[in-house]
Amino acid sequence: MYYPFWDTSLSYGMLMAVISILHVFISHFAIGGGLYLVITETFARKRNDQAMLDYLQRLSKFFLLVTLVLGALSGVAIWFIIGLLNPSATEVLIHHFVWAWAIEWTFFVIEIAAAIVYYYGWQRMSARDHLAIGWVYFGAAWLSLFVINGIITFMLTPGAWTATGNIWDGFFNPTFWPSLFYRTGICVLLAGLYAMVVAARSKDVSLKARTARRNAAFGLIGLAIVVPTFFWYWQAIPGDLIANAQETMPATMRTIWESYLYIVLLVLVLILYGLVMPKRLNMVVAVVLMAAGLGYFGSFEFFRESVRKPYVITDYMYGNTLEVAKTAEYREGGYLAGIEFRTGDDGADLFRHVCRHCHTLDGYKPLLPAFEGVDREFIASMVRGSEAMKGNMPPFMGSSGEALMIGEYLHGRTDNRHLSEIYDVEGVQLGQKVYEVRCGRCHEIGGYNDKSESLIGLDDEDYLDLLDMAGEFADEMPDFTGDDEERAALIEFLKTIGKEQGGAL
Ligand code: HEC
Ligand code: HEC
């Protein structure tokens, strides 16, 4: 809350996802591609295979352009965007890992210099020196992964660091080793996939077949490392983080398993066009392979970012930059006092600092539609109880007055007509809508924190009592503040739960 807030209509999550997935897809290739070049060059030199050496030279041009231009630009873009989206978390990472960053950048400079010398050295250097420079490139590139892997894994599993504050505990944290091996596997896989693009353009059919076979071997070896190390990685994440994510975000957690379909696709296509009929390799196949690789690796990164919710640094800082250690301070004095840059509209400032990191008003994960047709007090209760909703949100630690200011801010911008008018429904249908808006975000029928058991088979009197006492069930649960029409419709709907037509709703 020490930084001004960058309020764009763009979604923070999407911006981050697009830029970072592009960057990791390139930067892991930058490492694996180096290994591919030196290993293949060694073989080609031994066999005096000039056609292969020519192909490698072409590949190294493609490699230089992709890694140095796109890799470096997207890397800078990440710094730019995390500084805008979450300056507080960026500050924590820079502050604690300043030497690690310095070391990482040193390796990066060595990597860039070696890549340039390697490319221009094809004709100018002796075979031995050229290969040596290739190995320097790969070594520096992999070491930069080693360093940055410590920082990225720290954000998900800071491990003993949370208690000891010792930077080595944070760096060599519980997911450090599995992630390092996993990412090394990804590097090898991507080297094979990218090289298919260059191989597919080859006019010499015998050369194409030889390179396709080699590329497929890289791809398959990469996958053979990726699959088991993912399980190792999964095991290393504390069980409560996984259990929490599975309970509050089942759909996100399912996508990581669904993404294994990409692996099946990769294995099949690599075997078919790499080993069975490598001469038939063409650009379409190469593009399919790249897309499947991007799809798989993108899902992994999405999983990694999701599983640490509601935190940006587990147990240390929430996704909205609020520090866990300041819980007591916020609970006592509220949030406003700690917001350094104020616009004069307290409701807007609070909304931005507390909710806006993950939600927009009306774009991605929009909040205005979620609060159509409800009253200000209800929105305020939902703000106070956001921890109990599905979605794995940080607890609200501000004062009741601040929750009301957020309620007012959102209420003033959303559609305030009656639910029956907005959705043109009445009776049971209206009741279902009321349930969705006023109960369903914390109690999904047949899903998250389902309360159907307690809601089935009551009589009218019991239902009325239940709604009258709603706010007393739990601190997070709102009072029922809908009008009489909504109350009657909700009760009509509650009576259908578990019945035939209720099940169909
Ligand atoms: C750390 C990220 C994060 C923060 C901060 C956050 N939320 Fe959420 N919220 C989520 C996620 C994730 C979901 C689930 C969205 C989904 O299911 O697609 C969600 C869902 C919701 C929903 C249900 C939306 C729907 O259409 O069903 C509401 C309402 C909501 N949040 C309100 C808030 C409010 C109010 C705040 C601020 C007090 C807030 N959230 C802060 C991540 C966050
Ligand atoms: C902001 C979240 C939230 C909303 C919205 C919400 N509840 Fe709850 N509800 C809770 C919490 C938290 C508890 C108590 C802890 C628990 O069991 O999860 C609870 C408990 C209950 C219980 C007690 C269940 C039992 O254990 O017997 C019932 C019944 C219930 N809610 C029904 C409703 C109905 C009906 C609505 C809509 C009018 C509603 N809730 C809206 C959060 C919410």
Side-chain angles (χ1 to χ4, degrees), residues 248-249 251-252 308-312 318-322 335 350-359 364-367 369-371 378-380 382-386 389-396 403 406 410 436-437 440-441:
T248 55
M249 306 177 291
T252 309
R308 68 166 184 241
K309 269 208 208 99
Y311 303 102
V312 61
Y318 291 110
N320 50 7
T321 79
L322 300 177
Y335 291 135
L350 283 165
F351 171 73
R352 290 184 189 121
H353 282 282
V354 183
C355 315
R356 181 62 183 79
H357 287 90
C358 311
H359 292 285
Y364 181 73
K365 289 208 180 115
L367 285 187
F371 290 127
F378 176 75
I379 305 180
M382 293 296 269
V383 168
R384 282 201 305 273
S386 49
M389 278 189 252
K390 72 171 185 185
N392 214 354
M393 285 178 252
F396 183 78
I406 298 181
L410 293 171
E436 203 178 286
V437 174
R441 297 196 169 109

Side-chain angles (χ1 to χ4, degrees), residues 299-379:
S299 329
F300 167 79
E301 292 289 354
F302 182 66
F303 158 79
R304 182 180 63 73
E305 292 270 330
S306 302
V307 77
R308 68 166 184 241
K309 269 208 208 99
Y311 303 102
V312 61
I313 299 169
T314 303
D315 291 336
Y316 182 79
M317 182 180 272
Y318 291 110
N320 50 7
T321 79
L322 300 177
E323 282 172 56
V324 179
K326 291 201 174 151
T327 301
E329 197 179 305
Y330 294 134
R331 292 218 187 271
E332 209 143 286
Y335 291 135
L336 272 176
I339 301 181
E340 203 97 334
F341 291 86
R342 310 260 293 254
T343 61
D345 180 346
D346 289 348
D349 286 345
L350 283 165
F351 171 73
R352 290 184 189 121
H353 282 282
V354 183
C355 315
R356 181 62 183 79
H357 287 90
C358 311
H359 292 285
T360 59
L361 285 175
D362 48 14
Y364 181 73
K365 289 208 180 115
L367 285 187
L368 292 185
F371 290 127
E372 280 171 355
V374 295
D375 51 287
R376 184 176 72 117
E377 282 71 22
F378 176 75
I379 305 180

Side-chain angles (χ1 to χ4, degrees), residues 29-141:
F29 162 61
I31 301 164
L35 185 66
Y36 179 99
L37 285 168
V38 283
I39 290 185
T40 314
E41 187 184 342
T42 308
F43 276 102
R45 298 244 185 236
K46 267 202 193 116
R47 295 188 194 140
N48 233 338
D49 184 344
Q50 193 54 45
M52 184 65 89
L53 288 171
D54 291 343
Y55 153 79
L56 284 179
Q57 197 173 341
R58 279 201 306 282
L59 180 67
S60 61
K61 180 171 187 185
F62 170 75
F63 181 75
L64 197 71
L65 288 175
V66 171
T67 60
L68 294 201
V69 181
L70 292 181
L73 279 179
S74 59
V76 173
I78 289 204
W79 277 104
F80 196 73
I81 207 71
I82 62 173
L84 285 171
L85 301 188
N86 205 331
S88 309
T90 309
E91 183 195 297
V92 172
L93 296 184
I94 293 178
H95 179 85
H96 290 290
F97 291 103
V98 66
W99 287 109
W101 291 117
I103 293 167
E104 200 260 336
W105 287 329
T106 309
F107 284 132
F108 184 65
V109 170
I110 297 173
E111 175 187 338
I112 296 287
I116 295 172
V117 173
Y118 183 82
Y119 174 67
Y120 288 102
W122 275 105
Q123 258 79 40
R124 297 181 180 83
M125 293 169 84
S126 71
R128 207 171 135 261
D129 290 353
H130 191 249
L131 264 176
I133 276 292
W135 281 110
V136 168
Y137 171 86
F138 169 68

